[in-house]
Amino acid sequence: MSNWIEVGKLEDIPRLGSRVVDMERREIAIFRTELDDIFAVANSCPHKKGPLAEGIVHGKKVTCPLHNWTIDLESGEAVAPDKGCARRYETKVESGMVWINSAEA
Amino acid sequence: MKEKLVLVGNGMAGVRTLEELLKINPDAYDITVFGAEPYGNYNRIMLSPMLTGETNLDEIMLNTREWYADNNITLHTGKKVVKIDRKNRIVYADDGTETVYDRLLLATGSKPFILPVPGHDLEGVIGFRDVNDVEMMLDAAKKYKHAVVIGGGLLGLEAANGLQKNGMKVRVVHLSETLMDRQLDSESGKMLQRELEARGVEFLMGASTKELVGRKRVKAITFQDGREISADLVVMAVGIKPDIELAESAGIYCNRGIVVNDTMQSYDPKIYAVGECVQHRNQTYGLVAPLFEMAKVCANHLAKLGYGRYEGSVTSTKLKVTGIDLFSAGDFNGDDDCERIVYRDPSQNIYKKVVLKDNRIQGAVLYGNTMDGPWYFQLMREGTDVSAFRDSLMFGQGHLGDSGHDNNSVMNMSDDAEVCGCNGVTKGDIVKAITTEGLFTLDEVKAHTKASASCGGCSGLVEQILASTVGSDFSHPEVKPLCGCTDHSHDQVREAIRSEVYTSVDEVYKKLDWRNENGCPTCRPAVNYYLISTWPEQAHDDSQSRFVNERVHANIQKDRTYTVVPRMWGGVTTPDELRAIADAADKYEVPMVKLTGGQRIDLVGLQKEQLPNIWKDLNAAGMVSGHAYGKALRTVKTCIGSQYCRFGTQDSVEMGIALEKLSWASWTPHKFKMAVSGCPRNCAEATIKDFGVVAVDSGYELHIGGNGGIKVRVTDLLARVETDGEVLEYAGAFMQLYREEARYLERTAPWIERVGLNYVKERIVEDTENRIELNERFLLSQKIAQKDPWAELTKDEHRLEFVPMKRFDDQPNAQTSEDKVAVNA
Ligand code: SRM
Ligand SMILES: Cc1cc2nc3c(=O)[nH]c(=O)nc-3n(C[C@H](O)[C@H](O)[C@H](O)COP(=O)(O)OP(=O)(O)OC[C@H]3O[C@@H](n4cnc5c(N)ncnc54)[C@H](O)[C@@H]3O)c2cc1C
Ligand code: SF4
Ligand code: FES
């Protein structure tokens, strides 16, 4: 199942930063790396549901602001030795606009 | 004719026995030594730092050839003894050399255990035991890329760290789920794994090796579960086994090791054995401390003094990877009858666990801060009942019997406390050597006492003893890296920023060869702080390098709401301010309004989107951010003072307001709190603040370095001054010194303990010119810093930070999601 939706301009997401898409029943965090890769994962840390969008982004990872778990944005998996997974969504950028597939990847 | 003593095995235990023997009776024997390796005696423990390049073969030699010559010892290197004729008392070496003995000492050590899997004899498969192994590893690192270390124990991790430092891509394969599972519990094992991962080492946990694949040289490893990884070098570090080949061939009774009694004699009383090759009371050992104890007893018997028995050893462990502090001893998990006391500080990466049974320590694991390891170890070995100081046990020995004034733990160590576990050197031995021999460096102490000469794990403690014995002018060695992304320390990074005029985080990472291009959550905020505090006018303050609280200027809470704390200058407010706060609380439906411990009001439970709006309202009523979230000036607490109080000597309220106006909005290495009390009754609790002022009849007492948090520390008196102007100047100068010199996340209390009160006094009290300059630099940086961040963030250009990128109605077919529940909670 795919369900692509346009969420906004690439330039509206800060480099090494994040923005949130509010889906009413859930939040999706969109991350932009230094090299403009875009990733989308549930804005909910697998540890205790911390807001990943508020974490520090480094490489292709984000570190949760609440208790420092690090999540690999490519897979949504917590970096070992922590274990857990944040839901991941497909993304694409077309003419400067960011799209996500709101069906889970 | 002197009797003949022959030593087989020119290693750490054997030669230590000879040293002990020469000390008590240099003329007892004609001594001959056989060693299979082609060198004098070296410190095997130091092979790990030799692999990383921190030291070299010359530096780790314990006894050079001259030493043997000077002591009339005949040394045969590169000769392996292959036969013992016990009847005629002759040993034979592999080149045919024969030597007659009256007494024979076996110290053949142990061999690395090589897993008997197919392919274990391929080229490129080695153990980690001697200089030759290190040379093979260094050589492989030049030619090949993929290294695999089998075994995540002490030795394996040191090998992995060393190979990684040499540029190889290293994976560690470990059978169980926790690293160093014989020394660490799963929590500290995880912390270690995380730290090594940050340095680039990869781990395959729960992996059981099936086969080593390759034709001539190893190429890959396969595992029982079907995984396969490439490998050009395989280091087996799964364990060691006592080398009993020679002894067994001579018919000496062996089990796992050569079986010896309490005087280190084998079943043949003319033949002694010491070191890793022995089995004593059913134990074998793999660390040097017990071997050195054996050496003492054995030497005593060889000298025919006949007293002294070896009764077995309790051991403790440290890992020799620069920058990782870890200590483990005894039973660190405990059984059902044990109690466990645990202390955790995740942001500082500190974990401590002590296991107690009937109030006696059974074991301990320390990670991140191992200063109290030797103390716990001593309590454990002596079976001390700790009930009298159980409450403060986790805060360490420095915390006993004082209110935190002086928590230099070495000062409180008793003279008979063991500092160097490897060599059994006590604090008293070290202090005596320092004072009688006039020692100033760690190396000198090492040479005179052997403390820290073996594994080096206690060098931190020895340095502290040096510092407390001779003052602070002793020489420091190696530095701790800022984080896993770099080998540079905090101080080195800051110095580079200063001397090379770096002004952005990126530039620092590029110029200083950071391993991860965007760094990590530990170094990003630190580097950003060093930039803005060093170059306030030039540096770019990178908001993406700041922790969320400092990026959005509010405190995040566990349910992802925020708290808002407006500044109340000197703890004074007005009906208008209170009305504005009350109106805002109503308007935004603030779930809780609370008085903080810092004399102001906390509006708790706001949504992120509400922040700019409530700030606008508070700004309109004349209030600004209280920085309750920042590594920054927090509050200036005051008491009522001479305006009203019948005892007040000065106007503490006005002084508090003046200090807060001076210093608000400044960024500091850690949070910074002040207080002003109007008289020595000290109702504002100024003596547990970073900068505290206590008014007296003749003026003010200025106090520094207090802390009321995790570990209470009472301030030190910096100076007494007379005028209000002086108070402000000293405060500015002190904050600036702290801002320029303390390490990121080091609060004033630990900073002052590190650099010493005298140093701060020299820079601020005794050197007037320097004080004025520091204060001027502070004022300059304040010109730039003193903008209300709330007013700034409510501007339109920052709007995006606080609102969702987009809002959608959820897909009609979406299932109920737990995430949303969390948001609404
Ligand atoms: C709000 C407040 C509790 C209260 O309602 O009274 C508070 C709340 C927090 N304190 Fe505190 N501390 C508060 C006064 C104190 C005090 C008392 C004081 O300042 O007089 C202390 C002991 C004094 C001291 O610091 O020396 C105190 C010692 C700590 C510590 C331990 C610091 C230390 O160096 O030992 C931490 C942890 C840290 O900073 O790493 C901490 C950390 C925190 C954090 C930031 C924990 C966190 O990371 O979430 C809490 C934030 C809650 C929030 O978002 O509001 N808080 N905290 C107080 C705010 C005062 C203010 O007006 O700004
Ligand atoms: C890389 C590494 C790091 C270590 N780190 C630590 C640490 O941090 N802390 C700690 O306490 N311990 C550590 N150890 C362990 C410590 O080095 C050993 O416990 C200690 O060296 C054992 O001393 P030994 O004399 O019994 O054996 P060895 O030092 O191994 O000496 C035995 C010698 O005998 C020789 N030999 C054997 N058979 C014969 C023969 N038939 N003829 C002639 N010579 C023979 C061998 O070649 C060897 O040179 C470490 C070991 C290694 C390998
Ligand atoms: S003492 Fe401070 S850190 Fe602990 S719960 Fe209370 S507010 Fe939070
Ligand atoms: S909620 Fe993310 S680390 Fe705890």
Side-chain angles (χ1 to χ4, degrees):
Chain A
M1 188 180 68
S2 83
N3 199 353
W4 286 96
I5 46 181
E6 190 189 84
V7 294
K9 287 188 253 166
L10 173 68
E11 64 186 52
D12 285 347
I13 310 172
R15 280 223 168 88
L16 290 180
S18 171
R19 294 288 302 284
V20 166
V21 173
D22 189 340
M23 306 288 291
E24 198 182 3
R25 287 156 154 282
R26 59 194 160 142
E27 284 185 0
I28 299 177
I30 319 266
F31 297 90
R32 176 176 175 189
T33 68
E34 172 147 58
L35 302 174
D36 290 352
D37 297 317
I38 297 292
F39 296 103
V41 301
N43 190 24
S44 179
C45 177
H47 180 218
K48 294 195 172 170
K49 301 186 177 164
L52 295 173
E54 306 299 346
I56 289 184
V57 182
H58 47 107
K60 293 182 180 174
K61 301 194 194 91
V62 64
T63 296
C64 177
L66 294 194
H67 319 94
N68 276 335
W69 280 34
T70 296
I71 308 299
D72 181 343
L73 295 171
E74 279 177 307
S75 63
E77 303 264 0
V79 172
D82 295 319
K83 287 204 173 95
C85 191
R87 283 176 208 150
R88 200 164 45 87
Y89 301 89
E90 289 177 281
T91 62
K92 63 184 177 187
V93 181
E94 277 172 9
S95 8
M97 296 304 285
V98 177
W99 292 73
I100 60 174
N101 181 351
S102 71
E104 285 158 30
Chain B
M1 265 262 294
K2 274 200 253 179
E3 280 193 294
K4 292 189 172 53
L5 172 67
V6 174
L7 165 63
V8 180
N10 190 23
M12 298 189 72
V15 178
R16 175 57 75 95
T17 310
L18 298 184
E19 287 177 340
E20 297 282 353
L21 174 62
L22 294 171
K23 258 198 261 171
I24 35 189
N25 189 348
D27 300 316
Y29 295 94
D30 270 336
I31 304 174
T32 304
V33 177
F34 284 91
E37 293 185 74
Y39 319 96
N41 172 38
Y42 61 87
N43 186 345
R44 192 168 306 282
I45 298 182
M46 285 299 160
L47 291 178
S48 300
M50 179 172 160
L51 179 63
T52 59
E54 286 161 270
T55 184
N56 58 42
L57 184 56
D58 281 346
E59 279 178 24
I60 70 171
M61 289 311 297
L62 293 170
N63 300 88
T64 57
R65 288 174 188 276
E66 289 80 69
W67 178 84
Y68 293 88
D70 290 349
N71 289 290
N72 295 318
I73 297 172
T74 312
L75 173 65
H76 297 289
T77 55
K79 291 187 193 175
K80 187 171 172 185
V81 173
V82 288
K83 189 177 154 199
I84 306 171
D85 173 352
R86 281 164 59 199
K87 201 154 150 235
N88 299 305
R89 298 206 300 266
I90 305 174
V91 297
Y92 296 89
D94 51 1
D95 69 336
T97 312
E98 302 178 12
T99 305
V100 174
Y101 66 83
D102 293 301
R103 294 192 188 207
L104 178 64
L105 175 58
L106 298 178
T108 48
S110 45
K111 289 182 178 160
F113 183 69
I114 302 290
L115 291 175
V117 292
H120 66 84
D121 46 6
L122 287 170
E123 207 177 281
V125 181
I126 59 172
F128 184 17
R129 182 70 194 176
D130 54 27
V131 170
N132 189 34
D133 295 329
V134 173
E135 282 170 352
M136 299 220 323
M137 287 190 231
L138 292 175
D139 190 50
K142 285 195 200 107
K143 298 187 197 144
Y144 303 101
K145 182 133 185 280
H146 297 283
V148 173
V149 175
I150 304 184
L154 204 63
L155 216 55
L157 296 180
E158 292 186 0
N161 178 57
L163 291 167
Q164 202 269 338
K165 281 251 159 88
N166 280 290
M168 292 192 88
K169 166 123 199 50
V170 183
R171 294 187 206 166
V172 175
V173 175
H174 193 55
L175 196 55
S176 73
E177 291 294 336
T178 306
L179 292 180
M180 289 182 62
D181 41 343
R182 283 164 55 191
Q183 289 91 11
L184 299 182
D185 61 359
S186 67
E187 181 156 358
S188 50
K190 271 189 171 189
M191 292 174 84
L192 174 63
Q193 186 177 342
R194 217 176 301 203
E195 204 155 326
L196 289 167
E197 272 166 350
R199 295 173 179 217
V201 178
E202 282 182 31
F203 292 90
L204 275 78
M205 307 300 280
S208 165
T209 308
K210 187 168 162 215
E211 187 176 351
L212 305 182
V213 190
R215 297 192 124 198
K216 190 151 168 278
R217 190 178 178 91
V218 62
K219 276 218 142 55
I221 300 194
T222 60
F223 299 97
Q224 299 293 3
D225 59 9
R227 277 184 282 181
E228 170 167 337
I229 57 175
S230 37
D232 311 309
L233 173 73
V234 173
V235 179
M236 294 251 193
V238 289
I240 52 174
K241 56 171 200 281
D243 187 346
I244 54 175
E245 204 182 321
L246 177 67
E248 267 192 324
S249 74
I252 297 166
Y253 179 60
C254 296
N255 184 345
R256 274 174 298 140
I258 303 169
V259 177
V260 295
N261 62 14
D262 287 359
T263 52
M264 308 317 295
Q265 280 157 307
S266 73
Y267 274 49
D268 177 341
K270 298 234 175 284
I271 302 183
Y272 293 74
V274 291
E276 282 185 353
C277 61
V278 310
Q279 177 176 342
H280 171 264
R281 297 195 185 178
N282 220 10
Q283 284 290 323
T284 58
Y285 294 97
L287 292 168
V288 296
L291 317 187
F292 292 171
E293 288 173 37
M294 295 177 194
K296 258 198 185 121
V297 174
C298 184
N300 189 280
H301 274 265
L302 286 169
K304 303 192 178 118
L305 296 178
Y307 57 83
R309 288 154 60 87
Y310 177 67
E311 298 181 332
S313 308
V314 187
T315 57
S316 66
T317 322
K318 292 195 159 214
L319 180 72
K320 301 189 300 301
V321 171
T322 305
I324 297 185
D325 291 329
L326 166 154
F327 173 92
S328 156
D331 178 3
F332 51 83
N333 281 321
D335 57 24
D336 289 349
D337 299 332
C338 289
E339 299 168 278
R340 295 155 197 87
I341 311 185
V342 175
Y343 171 96
R344 288 188 183 86
D345 185 351
S347 70
Q348 310 270 342
N349 245 338
I350 292 175
Y351 171 79
K352 306 183 187 182
K353 174 162 110 182
V354 171
V355 177
L356 296 175
K357 192 180 214 161
D358 300 332
N359 279 318
R360 285 168 223 279
I361 298 183
Q362 305 299 308
V365 179
L366 310 178
Y367 191 95
N369 180 346
T370 52
M371 198 150 98
D372 287 303
W375 182 53
Y376 295 139
F377 191 48
Q378 190 188 13
L379 294 173
M380 176 178 124
R381 287 201 304 185
E382 292 172 1
T384 310
D385 182 337
V386 302
S387 40
F389 49 94
R390 221 183 120 121
D391 286 353
S392 56
L393 189 64
M394 300 315 283
F395 300 110
Q397 190 175 22
H399 212 73
L400 291 181
D402 67 54
S403 54
H405 243 305
D406 173 22
N407 36 28
N408 188 345
S409 82
V410 300
M411 307 250 292
N412 296 295
M413 276 170 92
S414 64
D415 271 355
D416 60 356
E418 188 171 271
V419 173
C420 173
C422 294
N423 290 293
V425 186
T426 63
K427 179 190 166 193
D429 298 337
I430 297 174
V431 171
K432 194 168 147 224
I434 293 170
T435 46
T436 56
E437 310 283 337
L439 309 181
F440 280 98
T441 66
L442 180 64
D443 280 340
E444 287 170 352
V445 175
K446 222 189 258 185
H448 277 85
T449 63
K450 287 218 177 247
S452 87
S454 296
C455 81
C458 61
S459 49
L461 266 181
V462 176
E463 274 171 15
Q464 284 176 37
I465 297 175
L466 257 168
S468 72
T469 315
V470 303
S472 58
D473 51 26
F474 72 103
S475 26
H476 280 274
E478 67 187 32
V479 291
K480 218 175 167 161
L482 197 161
C483 67
C485 305
T486 178
D487 292 329
H488 298 292
S489 68
H490 279 271
D491 296 348
Q492 287 166 338
V493 171
R494 181 185 336 230
E495 187 44 42
I497 289 173
R498 193 170 355 228
S499 61
E500 303 297 320
V501 197
Y502 297 144
T503 55
S504 76
V505 175
D506 257 0
E507 192 182 2
V508 171
Y509 287 177
K510 291 217 171 75
K511 296 279 173 52
L512 298 183
D513 297 325
W514 234 249
R515 280 196 277 273
N516 306 323
E517 60 183 333
N518 314 133
C520 71
T522 303
C523 58
R524 285 255 298 277
V527 170
N528 191 58
Y529 169 74
Y530 291 143
L531 288 163
I532 59 171
S533 59
T534 311
W535 302 110
E537 294 171 295
Q538 296 82 358
H540 162 69
D541 185 350
D542 176 24
S543 66
Q544 299 306 341
S545 290
R546 286 190 180 260
F547 182 64
V548 53
N549 285 2
E550 291 184 1
R551 185 160 47 79
V552 306
H553 290 272
N555 297 73
I556 195 162
Q557 307 288 350
K558 66 184 217 180
D559 61 356
R560 58 175 82 177
T561 64
Y562 292 84
T563 69
V564 166
V565 184
R567 206 165 273 291
M568 286 183 174
W569 307 96
V572 179
T573 183
T574 61
D576 282 339
E577 280 185 356
L578 292 173
R579 254 187 295 273
I581 289 172
D583 287 344
D586 274 342
K587 179 166 164 192
Y588 299 98
E589 297 177 355
V590 172
M592 177 160 84
V593 180
K594 178 179 181 306
L595 299 184
T596 74
Q599 295 189 338
R600 44 209 194 153
I601 292 175
D602 197 351
L603 298 159
V604 183
L606 287 141
Q607 300 299 327
K608 191 176 182 191
E609 273 183 76
Q610 296 179 304
L611 293 175
N613 303 329
I614 192 170
W615 292 340
K616 243 183 227 156
D617 293 359
L618 295 170
N619 275 166
M623 285 176 273
V624 296
S625 164
H627 292 85
Y629 44 78
K631 309 295 174 226
L633 178 91
R634 294 281 178 96
T635 63
V636 182
K637 271 174 86 162
T638 62
C639 72
I640 202 79
S642 63
Q643 279 187 46
Y644 295 95
C645 178
R646 63 202 164 108
F647 295 117
T649 60
Q650 311 284 346
D651 190 343
S652 50
V653 171
E654 276 314 309
M655 176 53 78
I657 293 173
L659 279 169
E660 193 160 353
K661 295 255 157 158
L662 168 80
S663 58
W664 75 284
S666 61
W667 298 109
T668 41
H670 205 306
K671 58 191 173 193
F672 194 99
K673 300 179 177 180
M674 299 203 209
V676 186
S677 286
C679 83
R681 288 170 193 75
N682 194 12
C683 299
E685 300 168 323
T687 45
I688 49 163
K689 295 290 177 256
D690 298 276
F691 187 83
V693 180
V694 178
V696 289
D697 226 19
S698 57
Y700 301 93
E701 281 180 355
L702 307 181
H703 296 263
I704 56 171
N707 192 319
I710 300 164
K711 182 167 177 185
V712 180
R713 181 184 196 271
V714 176
T715 44
D716 295 309
L717 178 65
L718 177 70
R720 287 189 181 81
V721 298
E722 284 170 17
T723 65
D724 293 7
E726 283 171 297
V727 176
L728 297 176
E729 183 178 301
Y730 276 74
F734 176 68
M735 273 188 93
Q736 187 63 12
L737 188 69
Y738 172 59
R739 284 166 39 95
E740 289 179 4
E741 299 192 3
R743 296 171 189 154
Y744 191 65
L745 293 189
E746 184 176 42
R747 212 147 158 205
T748 57
W751 170 60
I752 284 175
E753 270 163 25
R754 178 164 67 81
V755 302
L757 174 65
N758 276 344
Y759 170 76
V760 179
K761 278 188 174 166
E762 272 164 30
R763 299 287 308 270
I764 292 179
V765 184
E766 284 147 34
D767 188 343
T768 310
E769 212 172 296
N770 189 47
R771 178 176 67 243
I772 293 171
E773 282 170 17
L774 279 166
N775 186 39
E776 278 169 0
R777 288 205 291 281
F778 182 67
L779 296 177
L780 172 77
S781 116
Q782 283 299 78
K783 255 195 211 145
I784 292 146
Q786 281 189 338
K787 287 193 199 94
D788 174 32
W790 289 354
E792 198 59 30
L793 288 175
T794 46
K795 289 186 187 156
D796 219 31
E797 69 226 52
H798 293 290
R799 198 181 49 93
L800 293 184
E801 168 77 56
F802 297 92
V803 294
M805 190 163 185
K806 194 132 183 177
R807 253 183 250 275
F808 292 100
D809 281 343
D810 218 343
Q811 305 311 305
N813 58 351
Q815 300 143 357
T816 330
S817 147
E818 290 163 34
D819 314 340
K820 196 63 195 183
V821 178
V823 176
N824 291 333

